[in-house]
Amino acid sequence: MTDEQKTIAFVVYPGLTPLDLVGPLQVLAALAQIDPTYRTVVVGAAKDTLDTDTPLRIAPSHTFDEVPSPFAVLVPGGAVPTLRAMADERLLAWLRTAAASAALLTSVCTGSLVLGAAGLLEGKRATTHWMFRDLLPGVGATPVAERWVADGRVITAAGVSAGIDLALHLVERLAGRQVATNVQFAIEYDPEPPQGALDWANQPYGDLKPLREHTLREGLAGNPALRDKLLAHT
Amino acid sequence: MTDEQKTIAFVVYPGLTPLDLVGPLQVLAALAQIDPTYRTVVVGAAKDTLDTDTPLRIAPSHTFDEVPSPFAVLVPGGAVPTLRAMADERLLAWLRTAAASAALLTSVCTGSLVLGAAGLLEGKRATTHWMFRDLLPGVGATPVAERWVADGRVITAAGVSAGIDLALHLVERLAGRQVATNVQFAIEYDPEPPQGALDWANQPYGDLKPLREHTLREGLAGNPALRDKLLAHT
């Protein structure tokens, strides 16, 4: 790392959804390859290997202590483990320290709830996974149904795959449109969802509701204060 | 694992592009959660942590020896390390063994070249990352410029992010359209590329050509026979 480099820090914690992390990491690592002004790191409490919500295990490149002043932070989301991470004081303390100097505070999916638990969404317009959007007022944010939402230095993305769109937006902000287009070609991001665009008028809410209920029940078990706060507005 | 379960095995090797792996893994892990007929595993030569082409390190859940007869195989791609993996005899031997009984042989990005190196693309229509499509005849395949290409049990996807589309196609094949739609909602896959769709008439080939040249030079250094074979048709 050189003195001039700006560090983009991707936060990891046990049980996260790896696509939330890896989509934007792949995009911003490509930016760092093109423009060495930037470097990407993956930060966690320790360098040990962690589980995810898939069979893949992952390990960070740096500890929180090694990256006290990142230029930008990205918090990925997940289900039960992410609600538990909302009470991880070590993680929240690092986010607050990082936020003291960071130019960009970003999240994917329910990662925004972790930013919120650290007190960083107070009064902000924000988004998260569509099934959990109604929890945002519980952390002081105004929910917005968009692919990503920028409110000052806080930029939050919708669920899981939205992190790729967020990251390409960040590349354009940081390095201009041509670099963003080059990165988009490098990851051949020309989506053709086989089932077409999501039909929001026909959300399979009934099929997915048990997942939401399980996530809230298990993720907030043992933390009634947080549960009451999050569910107060739903 | 139960006797009835069908195992979908995601292959890892050092230096791969993690989005090639994690995009489809997230989708098919969601299938396995909905339909326990399926299970997903991440297989590698050993369970040690591996580098990727980003600062993230990853570790498999199983060794090759532990998964001799998967129902389906997915090989992710990458740049220099993937061309080197084309000469990894341990990996190629496992692919050939797995192919003896697998119902589906799939790849993302340059992962198709690894399938090809194992002799599994002979006479097949296939695709890969757009910048390396002209290498496919070198492994006996007919290159096709599509998001994913199915030729019998062999299904190959285009570059990096195309693995998400491939995987949703696989979910529809294996479990039907409603399950695929539910998974698509679960990962909120409703892409809005900030710079729009890729404009293929204006490929930034000049900007990306050094990456191709570096990949071919470094990836095939020390393997002149493979280099000659791959470049003979380009």
Side-chain angles (χ1 to χ4, degrees), chain B residues 181-211:
Chain B
T181 296
N182 287 2
V183 171
Q184 189 184 355
F185 268 98
I187 66 160
E188 203 163 342
Y189 186 50
D190 205 21
E192 292 184 28
Q195 293 79 30
L198 289 177
D199 177 6
W200 290 104
N202 289 295
Q203 294 171 17
Y205 195 72
D207 290 348
L208 295 173
K209 199 176 170 196
L211 172 64

Side-chain angles (χ1 to χ4, degrees), chain A residues 147-196:
Chain A
R147 192 71 176 155
W148 70 87
V149 177
D151 187 340
R153 65 173 180 162
V154 176
I155 314 182
T156 52
V160 194
S161 62
I164 299 172
D165 295 327
L166 165 72
L168 285 165
H169 168 72
L170 293 176
V171 172
E172 181 161 339
R173 268 195 183 215
L174 299 175
R177 189 177 178 97
Q178 185 59 52
V179 172
T181 296
N182 287 1
V183 171
Q184 190 184 354
F185 268 99
I187 65 161
E188 203 163 340
Y189 187 51
D190 205 21
E192 292 184 28
Q195 292 80 30

Side-chain angles (χ1 to χ4, degrees), chain A residues 12 17-23 25-26 29 33 40-42 47 49 53-61 128-130 133 147-148 158-162 164-166 168-169 172 177-178 180-182 184-200 202-204 207-208 211, chain B residues 12 17-23 25-26 29 33 40-42 47 49 53-61 128-130 133 147-148 158-162 164-166 168-169 172 177-178 180-182 184-200 202-204 207-208 211:
Chain A
V12 293
T17 293
L19 183 51
D20 288 23
L21 169 73
V22 171
L25 175 61
Q26 198 76 58
Q33 200 174 14
T40 52
V41 298
V42 179
K47 289 186 187 169
T49 302
D53 68 5
T54 74
L56 185 72
R57 294 177 299 136
I58 61 172
S61 60
T128 189
H129 190 285
W130 65 277
R133 213 184 287 134
R147 192 71 176 155
W148 70 87
V160 194
S161 62
I164 299 172
D165 295 327
L166 165 72
L168 285 165
H169 168 72
E172 181 161 339
R177 189 177 178 97
Q178 185 59 52
T181 296
N182 287 1
Q184 190 184 354
F185 268 99
I187 65 161
E188 203 163 340
Y189 187 51
D190 205 21
E192 292 184 28
Q195 292 80 30
L198 288 178
D199 177 5
W200 290 105
N202 288 294
Q203 296 171 16
D207 290 348
L208 295 174
L211 172 64
Chain B
V12 294
T17 293
L19 184 50
D20 288 24
L21 169 72
V22 172
L25 175 61
Q26 198 76 57
Q33 201 174 13
T40 52
V41 298
V42 179
K47 288 186 188 168
T49 303
D53 69 4
T54 74
L56 185 72
R57 295 176 299 136
I58 60 172
S61 60
T128 188
H129 191 284
W130 64 278
R133 214 184 286 133
R147 193 71 176 156
W148 71 85
V160 193
S161 62
I164 299 172
D165 295 328
L166 166 72
L168 285 166
H169 167 72
E172 182 162 339
R177 189 176 178 97
Q178 186 58 52
T181 296
N182 287 2
Q184 189 184 355
F185 268 98
I187 66 160
E188 203 163 342
Y189 186 50
D190 205 21
E192 292 184 28
Q195 293 79 30
L198 289 177
D199 177 6
W200 290 104
N202 289 295
Q203 294 171 17
D207 290 348
L208 295 173
L211 172 64

Side-chain angles (χ1 to χ4, degrees), chain A residues 194-195, chain B residues 8 10 24 27-28 31 38 71-74 104-107 148 150 153 155 163-176 180:
Chain A
Q195 292 80 30
Chain B
I8 304 172
F10 291 78
V27 169
L28 289 160
L31 166 66
Y38 298 98
F71 165 76
V73 171
L74 184 142
L104 289 170
L105 297 171
T106 74
S107 64
W148 71 85
R153 66 172 179 163
I155 314 182
I164 299 172
D165 295 328
L166 166 72
L168 285 166
H169 167 72
L170 293 176
V171 172
E172 182 162 339
R173 268 194 183 214
L174 299 175

